[in-house]
Amino acid sequence: MSYSILIVDDSATTRAIIKRSIQLTQIATDRLGEAADGRQALQLLAQGGFDLVLADLNMPAMGGMEMTRRMQANPITRDIPVVIISAEPNAEKFAHDQAGVRGCLRKPFTPEAIRNLITQVLGGADV
Amino acid sequence: MSEIAMDAVIEKLIEALEQMAFLSVGPAEQAAAPASPLYLSLDFSGPWWGRLGLLTDQGVGAIMASNMLATGPDAPEALLYARDALRELLNIVCGALLHDHASCATQTFAVGIPRLKSITAEQWNHILADGNFIPLDADGLALAIRLKELV
């Protein structure tokens, strides 16, 4: 099975690293989308087709938590799992408290940590 | 704020640079102004209010980006992402530091957006002399870091 994953982070470097980490782990992907903030992400998500969102918390236009709240309010995006990848000191607490967030990874991260989390969230041995 | 020792700041910087960019960081006697000096700062608020400051060279950012993206340091991507990589470094160091020093789950911090500006060699020397920065060496490149209490 192959997945479409949206990477949401205001750092272009981090988006590139997450993308590369996913490619290194050989998780089969149809599409690796990118957005620089929550607002851009919601526009892409409204088009449909994404299986997972990897999002930072602290972004200039719209952060990961507000994006997740809006995803929860929209029937099209409500069931897409969100994983927080952030340096935010309180990331785990936010991730724990927010419906729709299925995991949290602190920066800096390793490719193995990304693979483990995606495998856990998407829940398949064929990830 | 005094609860956060500079040793902890340096430890987080070393961890982040090693894990993110495979750069080794060690102590330095002094940090001479590099070819393309930059000053980065990041403010935070919460149980303590403070500012994390970093003096470094654009070249450190290019090496970080090239190591992170597996390109050569002169590759267009490395040059394009150099400043972004440094902003993200400061963000990660600050987040890791505050995460470790929040004594309970109810202690929350708000972290700002990293600011970066190009400075002259004169400004570098002035900031370094006045600001309690700790000079460091990252594989031969100059760095200096400071944590300053704001309130």
Side-chain angles (χ1 to χ4, degrees):
Chain A
M1 188 161 179
S2 171
Y3 296 96
S4 291
I5 300 172
L6 180 60
I7 302 161
V8 190
D9 199 303
D10 57 323
S11 164
T13 314
T14 298
R15 294 199 305 272
I17 293 164
I18 293 173
K19 209 168 181 177
R20 188 164 165 267
S21 296
I22 293 171
Q23 286 160 348
L24 281 174
T25 61
Q26 297 178 329
I27 290 167
T29 51
D30 282 334
R31 183 180 176 199
L32 286 174
E34 290 185 46
D37 57 50
R39 199 170 291 164
Q40 276 185 20
L42 291 173
Q43 287 169 359
L44 289 171
L45 289 165
Q47 296 165 14
F50 284 103
D51 303 296
L52 175 67
V53 177
L54 306 176
D56 191 10
L57 283 176
N58 194 7
M59 294 179 283
M62 183 191 292
M65 277 301 111
E66 179 61 21
M67 179 201 74
T68 308
R69 277 192 280 272
R70 294 191 187 203
M71 285 175 66
Q72 286 290 296
N74 183 340
I76 296 172
T77 54
R78 184 181 297 151
D79 295 327
I80 303 171
V82 176
V83 166
I84 299 299
I85 301 181
S86 181
E88 176 74 37
N90 316 107
E92 289 90 347
K93 179 180 175 353
F94 290 139
H96 180 265
D97 293 348
Q98 177 60 53
V101 176
R102 298 273 299 277
C104 181
L105 187 61
R106 292 198 65 76
K107 296 175 182 176
F109 51 79
T110 61
E112 292 74 24
I114 292 221
R115 179 188 166 80
N116 291 342
L117 198 50
I118 293 176
T119 304
Q120 179 196 323
V121 171
L122 293 175
D126 55 348
V127 169
Chain B
M1 177 72 108
S2 56
E3 293 175 46
I4 302 180
M6 273 312 291
D7 284 353
V9 178
I10 293 165
E11 181 192 327
K12 294 302 175 192
L13 179 66
I14 291 171
E15 280 176 12
L17 277 170
E18 285 183 350
Q19 195 168 342
M20 287 170 73
F22 316 110
L23 276 172
S24 298
V25 179
E29 292 280 313
Q30 57 182 2
S36 304
L38 300 173
Y39 173 63
L40 294 98
S41 64
L42 177 57
D43 291 354
F44 60 86
S45 59
W48 315 293
W49 291 46
R51 175 175 297 154
L52 196 59
L54 182 71
L55 285 165
T56 189
D57 183 40
Q58 167 114 349
V60 174
I63 290 173
M64 281 180 68
S66 74
N67 288 350
M68 290 156 89
L69 302 169
T71 66
D74 297 325
E77 299 95 318
L79 299 173
L80 182 69
Y81 291 142
R83 291 180 173 217
D84 182 69
L86 288 168
R87 284 194 195 93
E88 191 67 342
L89 170 68
L90 200 62
N91 196 32
I92 287 171
V93 171
C94 189
L97 195 63
L98 297 178
H99 177 262
D100 282 4
H101 285 80
S103 58
C104 61
T106 54
Q107 280 198 333
T108 57
F109 287 94
V111 179
I113 302 291
R115 289 170 294 177
L116 178 153
K117 62 180 174 185
S118 294
I119 56 173
T120 63
E122 269 184 2
Q123 288 172 316
W124 171 286
N125 292 330
H126 180 74
I127 295 170
L128 200 58
D130 285 358
N132 297 315
F133 276 83
I134 307 291
L136 297 162
D137 175 281
D139 287 346
L141 295 163
L143 280 175
I145 193 161
R146 172 186 70 179
L147 181 63
K148 180 181 177 185
E149 188 171 4
L150 288 182
V151 174

